[in-house]
Each structure stands twice: as structure tokens, then as C-alpha cells.
Amino acid sequence: MGITEFSREDVIFADEDVLRDSYQPDDLIERDDELAAYQHALKPVIRGKQPRNLFVYGQTGVGKSLSTNMILDQLLTDQEQYDDLDLRVVSLVCKTLTSSYQVAVRLVNEFRDPGNKLSHRGYAPGAVYEFLWEELNQLENTHVLFVLDEIDSIGTDDDLLYELPRANDNGNVTGPKIGVIGISNDFTFRDNLSARVKDSLAEEELHFPPYDANQLRRILRQRAEDAFLDDVLTDDVIPLCAAFAGQESGSARHALKLLYKAGDLARERGEPPVTEDDVRQASELIEQGRVRDELESLPTQSHITLYAVWALAEEGLTPAKRSKIYERYTEAAQEIGADVKTDRTIHDRLSQLNLKGFLDVEERNEGLRGGSYYQYELDVQSDMVKQVLAAESRTADLFE
Ligand SMILES: Nc1ncnc2c1ncn2[C@@H]1O[C@H](COP(=O)(O)OP(=O)(O)OP(=O)(O)O)[C@@H](O)[C@H]1O
Ligand SMILES: [Mg+2]
């Protein structure tokens, strides 16, 4: 067919951006209780009082970030009518920041001019907090609200989550009243917060439950109205997207992604309507994408271990015993100049790969004499394993 013309013609979407994650809808539906609780926690700000610190948690895609952004927009607007209020909101997505120190440096830099920023290394942790208090004490604002989204990425190094909410109480900040909102989708992180952080940050806790299929249906309808041209969706499309996402994740992000992908498939076909089949196919593609992302993010030693199982499978030698896999693993690791780990370590890797759903394991019993042993085989498409490993810099040479 060769190259076709790039054209603006679209037979499916009126505005596909409406389905993107970054799009902010005008109203938030299906979250009235959570919004009310959220607003309640922030009310002291409007009264000029000390904000309550708040910990917001719930699984991925349930509207935590969206609700937060919308509520803070509203708060910033509403405070303007009071002359004695001057709120500043500092929002930080902590995704790539893995310690309290890194977050603190970023916060200091929020207040500093381009020429005067802290570099990311080389200060004692205490010094960075001092810089932050200094910046805060210089502000003329009456309130500063810190929104720390995806805060779980700092792991157990949660000192900042004690220091910052306590900044007024401990006398470190005497200017503006400080409030902290921490947001997380990691339930282990919540359970493992140290007692002192629970006391200071999680003064109030707000849980966002997953959406059920009915809620997802309404959320999708609202978006679909602006996203799609009239009459391009068959009746089953939205209910099916909602049912899939409701069952698997309860995530609005997941549901939106399905609907978007289904629409995209119909557009590629060049012909409306979007059908139930498009949704099923979209669901498969998204699942494959998820598996691929997870495969890619495995550490090198797991990649080599997986390679060993893949290579045995290519030769029809799976399911294979651990000793066979270890042999093949050793050859491969030597070939690419990687450390050769012990049999025990590779056993752990195999168990992890099994837990993550990449390998199947079965127990074989050889009767009284032989005892029992485990056999492993791939539980993902071998093509995908090959593609991922051939694209990784460490393992690519194995495919030359
Ligand atoms: N009630 C809702 N109404 C409309 N859209 C929603 C609603 N809840 C979530 N969404 C949409 O779903 C997507 C995910 O929402 P959001 O980013 O708020 O999730 P989150 O809870 O912060 O997830 P994560 O933990 O992964 O950060 C966004 O595109 C958002 O616009
Ligand atoms: Mg979020």
C-alpha cells in the first residue's frame, strides 16, 4: 500500500484528547462522599486556621489526583474573596524521587530562583530542611499547602512526612501555616508508615475505593459525549469497557484507556461504528502492553533466567527442571559477561518469575526413590519474551 496521506479526517473521534489521562473534566462525578470529606478537611484554611494534614489513599486510577487538583483549584479561587488570606499551593509528583532528601531538595527549589537552586547532592539532610524552613519563613503567604502525590516512592525513608506537617508545631516555621496532603496508591506504604508519621501526616485519612461497573459506565458516558462523533458507538461498547475495568481494576484510567483504544481500532479500520469486538481486542492489546512493560522492568539476572527458559522452550525442552535451566542460565550469563549467580539465587528468580505470572511451575513426583522436583515453562508468549530480551542492551547479544 505504501505511505498514505496524513489527513485530519477522522470518522470516529470529535476530540480524542478528552479520553487522555491528562484531560481534566469539568465536573467530577461519582465521588461526592470523598469530595465532601476532602473539602471538610480543608475548611480550616478558608477560616484562616491551621490546615489539617491529610493522607489520601486508594488504588490506582480512582480519582485521587483529579479530585485533589479540582478541590485545590476551587480553594484557590474561593480564598480570593478574603483579604486576610493568601494561600499558596505547592504540588509535587514524587514518582521519581526515592528519599525524603530528594523531595526536600525539590521543595526548596520550588521557592528559589533559577540561578539559586540547590543541586541534588552534597548537603546534610538537616541542612536541606533548614533551607526549606528559611524559604517558608520568608514568604508573605498566610498558608502553604504541600501536595505530595505518589509519595510512596520515598519508601521507608519518610522523615520529611514527619518534619513537614510538624513544621509549625516544632517552631521551625513561624510565618505561613503549613499543611501537607500526601497521596498514595500503595497500601503497603500506608500500613508501614512509622507511628510518628501516622500521627503527624495522617491526622485525617481519606480512602478512595475502586469504582464499580455502574460508576465507570457513567464516567465513560460523560467523557464519550465530547470525545466521539455522534452515533459512532454501538450500545454495548461503554457497558463492556466498564465491565472489564470494573472487574479487573476498578480504575477509571483503565476504563478510559479501553474506550480510547477501541475507538482507535475502529479509526484504523477507517469505518464506524466502534463495536464490542473492538473492545475485546483493545482489552487484549492493553493486557499485552502491561505484560510487556513488566517484562521490560525486570532486573538483568531475571532477564537472563527468563532467557534460559525461553531457549529451552525453543528447542522443545520445556517444562524443564531447575538444574537444566541453571545450566542454560550459566552459559548465557558467561556469554554476555554477566555475573554468574548461585543455583540458589536462580531458584529465587524462578519463583519470582512464577509469582509475576511469567512462568508456570508444576511439581513432579518420581515415586519413593526420585522424590519430587519442580518443572518450569513459559506462561507468556515466547515471541514477546524474545522481543523484549532482544531489545534490552544486556541480553541483546544472546540473539546474535
Ligand atoms: N470520577 C471521575 N470522573 C471523571 N473522570 C475520572 C474520575 N475518576 C478518575 N477519572 C479519570 O481517570 C484517570 C485517573 O484518575 P486519577 O489520575 O485521579 O487517578 P489516581 O487515583 O490519582 O491514580 P494513581 O494512583 O495511579 O495516581 C484520569 O484521567 C481522570 O480524569
Ligand atoms: Mg494520581
mmCIF file with all atom_site columns, all heavy atoms in Angstrom, residues 139-150:
data_model
loop_
_atom_site.group_PDB
_atom_site.id
_atom_site.type_symbol
_atom_site.label_atom_id
_atom_site.label_alt_id
_atom_site.label_comp_id
_atom_site.label_asym_id
_atom_site.label_entity_id
_atom_site.label_seq_id
_atom_site.pdbx_PDB_ins_code
_atom_site.Cartn_x
_atom_site.Cartn_y
_atom_site.Cartn_z
_atom_site.occupancy
_atom_site.B_iso_or_equiv
_atom_site.pdbx_formal_charge
_atom_site.auth_seq_id
_atom_site.auth_comp_id
_atom_site.auth_asym_id
_atom_site.auth_atom_id
_atom_site.pdbx_PDB_model_num
ATOM 1   N N   . LEU A 1 139 ? 8.235  33.835 53.217 1.00 0.00 ? 139 LEU A N   1
ATOM 2   C CA  . LEU A 1 139 ? 7.033  34.045 52.397 1.00 0.00 ? 139 LEU A CA  1
ATOM 3   C C   . LEU A 1 139 ? 6.063  34.997 53.075 1.00 0.00 ? 139 LEU A C   1
ATOM 4   O O   . LEU A 1 139 ? 6.010  35.071 54.304 1.00 0.00 ? 139 LEU A O   1
ATOM 5   C CB  . LEU A 1 139 ? 6.322  32.712 52.141 1.00 0.00 ? 139 LEU A CB  1
ATOM 6   C CG  . LEU A 1 139 ? 7.081  31.671 51.332 1.00 0.00 ? 139 LEU A CG  1
ATOM 7   C CD1 . LEU A 1 139 ? 6.266  30.386 51.268 1.00 0.00 ? 139 LEU A CD1 1
ATOM 8   C CD2 . LEU A 1 139 ? 7.363  32.186 49.928 1.00 0.00 ? 139 LEU A CD2 1
ATOM 9   N N   . GLU A 1 140 ? 5.293  35.692 52.250 1.00 0.00 ? 140 GLU A N   1
ATOM 10  C CA  . GLU A 1 140 ? 4.261  36.549 52.824 1.00 0.00 ? 140 GLU A CA  1
ATOM 11  C C   . GLU A 1 140 ? 2.910  35.841 52.857 1.00 0.00 ? 140 GLU A C   1
ATOM 12  O O   . GLU A 1 140 ? 1.924  36.402 53.328 1.00 0.00 ? 140 GLU A O   1
ATOM 13  C CB  . GLU A 1 140 ? 4.158  37.826 51.994 1.00 0.00 ? 140 GLU A CB  1
ATOM 14  C CG  . GLU A 1 140 ? 5.521  38.466 51.834 1.00 0.00 ? 140 GLU A CG  1
ATOM 15  C CD  . GLU A 1 140 ? 5.463  39.963 51.817 1.00 0.00 ? 140 GLU A CD  1
ATOM 16  O OE1 . GLU A 1 140 ? 4.490  40.499 51.254 1.00 0.00 ? 140 GLU A OE1 1
ATOM 17  O OE2 . GLU A 1 140 ? 6.399  40.591 52.375 1.00 0.00 ? 140 GLU A OE2 1
ATOM 18  N N   . ASN A 1 141 ? 2.862  34.621 52.344 1.00 0.00 ? 141 ASN A N   1
ATOM 19  C CA  . ASN A 1 141 ? 1.593  33.894 52.319 1.00 0.00 ? 141 ASN A CA  1
ATOM 20  C C   . ASN A 1 141 ? 1.115  33.589 53.736 1.00 0.00 ? 141 ASN A C   1
ATOM 21  O O   . ASN A 1 141 ? 1.917  33.430 54.650 1.00 0.00 ? 141 ASN A O   1
ATOM 22  C CB  . ASN A 1 141 ? 1.756  32.561 51.584 1.00 0.00 ? 141 ASN A CB  1
ATOM 23  C CG  . ASN A 1 141 ? 2.234  32.749 50.162 1.00 0.00 ? 141 ASN A CG  1
ATOM 24  O OD1 . ASN A 1 141 ? 3.435  32.850 49.910 1.00 0.00 ? 141 ASN A OD1 1
ATOM 25  N ND2 . ASN A 1 141 ? 1.305  32.841 49.243 1.00 0.00 ? 141 ASN A ND2 1
ATOM 26  N N   . THR A 1 142 ? -0.214 33.493 53.874 1.00 0.00 ? 142 THR A N   1
ATOM 27  C CA  . THR A 1 142 ? -0.752 33.100 55.176 1.00 0.00 ? 142 THR A CA  1
ATOM 28  C C   . THR A 1 142 ? -0.739 31.587 55.336 1.00 0.00 ? 142 THR A C   1
ATOM 29  O O   . THR A 1 142 ? -0.631 31.065 56.438 1.00 0.00 ? 142 THR A O   1
ATOM 30  C CB  . THR A 1 142 ? -2.199 33.589 55.344 1.00 0.00 ? 142 THR A CB  1
ATOM 31  O OG1 . THR A 1 142 ? -2.986 33.075 54.256 1.00 0.00 ? 142 THR A OG1 1
ATOM 32  C CG2 . THR A 1 142 ? -2.265 35.106 55.338 1.00 0.00 ? 142 THR A CG2 1
ATOM 33  N N   . HIS A 1 143 ? -0.888 30.874 54.217 1.00 0.00 ? 143 HIS A N   1
ATOM 34  C CA  . HIS A 1 143 ? -0.925 29.408 54.244 1.00 0.00 ? 143 HIS A CA  1
ATOM 35  C C   . HIS A 1 143 ? -0.110 28.838 53.097 1.00 0.00 ? 143 HIS A C   1
ATOM 36  O O   . HIS A 1 143 ? -0.138 29.385 51.997 1.00 0.00 ? 143 HIS A O   1
ATOM 37  C CB  . HIS A 1 143 ? -2.359 28.889 54.066 1.00 0.00 ? 143 HIS A CB  1
ATOM 38  C CG  . HIS A 1 143 ? -3.282 29.227 55.186 1.00 0.00 ? 143 HIS A CG  1
ATOM 39  N ND1 . HIS A 1 143 ? -3.850 30.468 55.333 1.00 0.00 ? 143 HIS A ND1 1
ATOM 40  C CD2 . HIS A 1 143 ? -3.750 28.473 56.208 1.00 0.00 ? 143 HIS A CD2 1
ATOM 41  C CE1 . HIS A 1 143 ? -4.630 30.475 56.411 1.00 0.00 ? 143 HIS A CE1 1
ATOM 42  N NE2 . HIS A 1 143 ? -4.579 29.272 56.961 1.00 0.00 ? 143 HIS A NE2 1
ATOM 43  N N   . VAL A 1 144 ? 0.553  27.734 53.346 1.00 0.00 ? 144 VAL A N   1
ATOM 44  C CA  . VAL A 1 144 ? 1.165  26.982 52.260 1.00 0.00 ? 144 VAL A CA  1
ATOM 45  C C   . VAL A 1 144 ? 0.687  25.540 52.369 1.00 0.00 ? 144 VAL A C   1
ATOM 46  O O   . VAL A 1 144 ? 0.851  24.901 53.416 1.00 0.00 ? 144 VAL A O   1
ATOM 47  C CB  . VAL A 1 144 ? 2.705  27.011 52.309 1.00 0.00 ? 144 VAL A CB  1
ATOM 48  C CG1 . VAL A 1 144 ? 3.279  26.177 51.153 1.00 0.00 ? 144 VAL A CG1 1
ATOM 49  C CG2 . VAL A 1 144 ? 3.221  28.434 52.219 1.00 0.00 ? 144 VAL A CG2 1
ATOM 50  N N   . LEU A 1 145 ? 0.072  25.049 51.300 1.00 0.00 ? 145 LEU A N   1
ATOM 51  C CA  . LEU A 1 145 ? -0.348 23.648 51.271 1.00 0.00 ? 145 LEU A CA  1
ATOM 52  C C   . LEU A 1 145 ? 0.595  22.876 50.357 1.00 0.00 ? 145 LEU A C   1
ATOM 53  O O   . LEU A 1 145 ? 0.747  23.230 49.187 1.00 0.00 ? 145 LEU A O   1
ATOM 54  C CB  . LEU A 1 145 ? -1.764 23.526 50.708 1.00 0.00 ? 145 LEU A CB  1
ATOM 55  C CG  . LEU A 1 145 ? -2.947 23.639 51.647 1.00 0.00 ? 145 LEU A CG  1
ATOM 56  C CD1 . LEU A 1 145 ? -4.237 23.463 50.854 1.00 0.00 ? 145 LEU A CD1 1
ATOM 57  C CD2 . LEU A 1 145 ? -2.858 22.606 52.752 1.00 0.00 ? 145 LEU A CD2 1
ATOM 58  N N   . PHE A 1 146 ? 1.194  21.843 50.892 1.00 0.00 ? 146 PHE A N   1
ATOM 59  C CA  . PHE A 1 146 ? 2.044  20.979 50.074 1.00 0.00 ? 146 PHE A CA  1
ATOM 60  C C   . PHE A 1 146 ? 1.252  19.760 49.636 1.00 0.00 ? 146 PHE A C   1
ATOM 61  O O   . PHE A 1 146 ? 0.671  19.071 50.480 1.00 0.00 ? 146 PHE A O   1
ATOM 62  C CB  . PHE A 1 146 ? 3.258  20.504 50.876 1.00 0.00 ? 146 PHE A CB  1
ATOM 63  C CG  . PHE A 1 146 ? 4.257  21.584 51.131 1.00 0.00 ? 146 PHE A CG  1
ATOM 64  C CD1 . PHE A 1 146 ? 4.250  22.281 52.334 1.00 0.00 ? 146 PHE A CD1 1
ATOM 65  C CD2 . PHE A 1 146 ? 5.204  21.897 50.173 1.00 0.00 ? 146 PHE A CD2 1
ATOM 66  C CE1 . PHE A 1 146 ? 5.181  23.279 52.572 1.00 0.00 ? 146 PHE A CE1 1
ATOM 67  C CE2 . PHE A 1 146 ? 6.141  22.903 50.414 1.00 0.00 ? 146 PHE A CE2 1
ATOM 68  C CZ  . PHE A 1 146 ? 6.126  23.597 51.606 1.00 0.00 ? 146 PHE A CZ  1
ATOM 69  N N   . VAL A 1 147 ? 1.220  19.528 48.349 1.00 0.00 ? 147 VAL A N   1
ATOM 70  C CA  . VAL A 1 147 ? 0.575  18.318 47.848 1.00 0.00 ? 147 VAL A CA  1
ATOM 71  C C   . VAL A 1 147 ? 1.669  17.387 47.344 1.00 0.00 ? 147 VAL A C   1
ATOM 72  O O   . VAL A 1 147 ? 2.354  17.693 46.375 1.00 0.00 ? 147 VAL A O   1
ATOM 73  C CB  . VAL A 1 147 ? -0.385 18.632 46.693 1.00 0.00 ? 147 VAL A CB  1
ATOM 74  C CG1 . VAL A 1 147 ? -1.058 17.353 46.210 1.00 0.00 ? 147 VAL A CG1 1
ATOM 75  C CG2 . VAL A 1 147 ? -1.422 19.653 47.128 1.00 0.00 ? 147 VAL A CG2 1
ATOM 76  N N   . LEU A 1 148 ? 1.856  16.292 48.032 1.00 0.00 ? 148 LEU A N   1
ATOM 77  C CA  . LEU A 1 148 ? 2.895  15.339 47.642 1.00 0.00 ? 148 LEU A CA  1
ATOM 78  C C   . LEU A 1 148 ? 2.224  14.109 47.056 1.00 0.00 ? 148 LEU A C   1
ATOM 79  O O   . LEU A 1 148 ? 1.780  13.214 47.777 1.00 0.00 ? 148 LEU A O   1
ATOM 80  C CB  . LEU A 1 148 ? 3.761  14.986 48.853 1.00 0.00 ? 148 LEU A CB  1
ATOM 81  C CG  . LEU A 1 148 ? 4.377  16.198 49.566 1.00 0.00 ? 148 LEU A CG  1
ATOM 82  C CD1 . LEU A 1 148 ? 5.145  15.768 50.812 1.00 0.00 ? 148 LEU A CD1 1
ATOM 83  C CD2 . LEU A 1 148 ? 5.291  16.983 48.619 1.00 0.00 ? 148 LEU A CD2 1
ATOM 84  N N   . ASP A 1 149 ? 2.121  14.081 45.738 1.00 0.00 ? 149 ASP A N   1
ATOM 85  C CA  . ASP A 1 149 ? 1.422  12.994 45.054 1.00 0.00 ? 149 ASP A CA  1
ATOM 86  C C   . ASP A 1 149 ? 2.403  11.846 44.815 1.00 0.00 ? 149 ASP A C   1
ATOM 87  O O   . ASP A 1 149 ? 3.595  12.061 44.657 1.00 0.00 ? 149 ASP A O   1
ATOM 88  C CB  . ASP A 1 149 ? 0.849  13.514 43.728 1.00 0.00 ? 149 ASP A CB  1
ATOM 89  C CG  . ASP A 1 149 ? -0.335 12.673 43.236 1.00 0.00 ? 149 ASP A CG  1
ATOM 90  O OD1 . ASP A 1 149 ? -0.593 11.591 43.808 1.00 0.00 ? 149 ASP A OD1 1
ATOM 91  O OD2 . ASP A 1 149 ? -1.008 13.106 42.279 1.00 0.00 ? 149 ASP A OD2 1
ATOM 92  N N   . GLU A 1 150 ? 1.869  10.642 44.788 1.00 0.00 ? 150 GLU A N   1
ATOM 93  C CA  . GLU A 1 150 ? 2.673  9.429  44.593 1.00 0.00 ? 150 GLU A CA  1
ATOM 94  C C   . GLU A 1 150 ? 3.851  9.399  45.579 1.00 0.00 ? 150 GLU A C   1
ATOM 95  O O   . GLU A 1 150 ? 4.977  9.068  45.241 1.00 0.00 ? 150 GLU A O   1
ATOM 96  C CB  . GLU A 1 150 ? 3.135  9.321  43.134 1.00 0.00 ? 150 GLU A CB  1
ATOM 97  C CG  . GLU A 1 150 ? 1.924  9.467  42.209 1.00 0.00 ? 150 GLU A CG  1
ATOM 98  C CD  . GLU A 1 150 ? 2.163  9.128  40.753 1.00 0.00 ? 150 GLU A CD  1
ATOM 99  O OE1 . GLU A 1 150 ? 3.099  8.377  40.452 1.00 0.00 ? 150 GLU A OE1 1
ATOM 100 O OE2 . GLU A 1 150 ? 1.372  9.603  39.914 1.00 0.00 ? 150 GLU A OE2 1
#
